[in-house]
């Protein structure tokens, strides 16, 4: 994880926690993460030197206004303005780590030679919970 991602992700988490919006912000960040993974060229666009910062921020506004919480929208604009949009993934990881820590969430990954049935999956979840 980059230092930029760590600092910015932690700053967003601190704000969200102070405003009691961690779940909302985390949910929006997850949606953005999925969008950027599906269209990784979008982050390249947000750092393109041949497009003005104002135009890049307008692109962010057009795509996400009224779709994500204003804090998340402004966070993405700040990353864009500073030229750090490509650091979004690290910001997300930093936010997610703190969110999981504060909520006693331990992410796990089950590995199996064959796919688990729905019943097996439910039993595993129940046992680990």
């Amino acid at each position: 994880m980059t230092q930029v991602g760590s600092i910015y992700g932690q700053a967003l988490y601190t704000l969200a926690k102070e405003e009691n919006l961690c779940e909302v912000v985390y949910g929006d960040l997850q949606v953005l993460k999925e969008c950027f993974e599906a269209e990784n060229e979008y982050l390249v666009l947000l750092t393109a030197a041949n497009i003005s910062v104002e135009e890049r921020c307008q692109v962010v506004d057009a795509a996400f206004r009224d779709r994500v919480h204003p804090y998340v929208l402004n966070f993405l604009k700040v990353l864009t303005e500073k030229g750090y949009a490509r650091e979004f993934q690290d910001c997300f990881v930093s936010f997610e780590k703190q969110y999981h820590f504060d909520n006693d969430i331990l992410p796990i990954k089950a590995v199996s030679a064959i796919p688990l049935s729905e019943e097996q999956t439910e039993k595993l979840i129940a046992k680990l919970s």
Side-chain angles (χ1 to χ4, degrees), residues 1-2 29 31 35 37 42-44 50 52 58 62 65 74 76-77 86 90 92-94 96-97 106 109 112 120:
M1 180 183 333
T2 64
L29 290 175
V31 170
C35 289
E37 286 173 349
Y42 192 81
L43 292 177
V44 173
N50 61 338
S52 73
Q58 288 173 353
R65 179 174 293 284
N74 289 336
L76 192 52
K77 284 182 182 180
R86 290 186 188 191
D90 287 343
F92 173 81
V93 169
S94 176
E96 184 177 55
K97 279 184 175 181
L106 180 62
K109 182 177 183 178
S112 173
Q120 291 171 319

Side-chain angles (χ1 to χ4, degrees), residues 64-124:
F64 299 111
R65 179 174 293 284
D66 299 327
R67 292 187 173 95
V68 297
H69 191 278
Y71 287 170
V72 176
L73 179 65
N74 289 336
F75 177 74
L76 192 52
K77 284 182 182 180
V78 167
L79 291 179
T80 300
E81 289 170 356
K82 299 284 186 183
Y84 295 148
R86 290 186 188 191
E87 305 290 333
F88 176 83
Q89 175 67 25
D90 287 343
C91 296
F92 173 81
V93 169
S94 176
F95 187 100
E96 184 177 55
K97 279 184 175 181
Q98 191 61 49
Y99 179 83
H100 285 172
F101 179 79
D102 284 355
N103 291 285
D104 295 324
I105 298 171
L106 180 62
I108 63 157
K109 182 177 183 178
V111 179
S112 173
I114 58 172
L116 297 176
S117 69
E118 190 173 322
E119 181 182 333
Q120 291 171 319
T121 302
E122 289 173 8
K123 284 181 181 180
L124 180 60

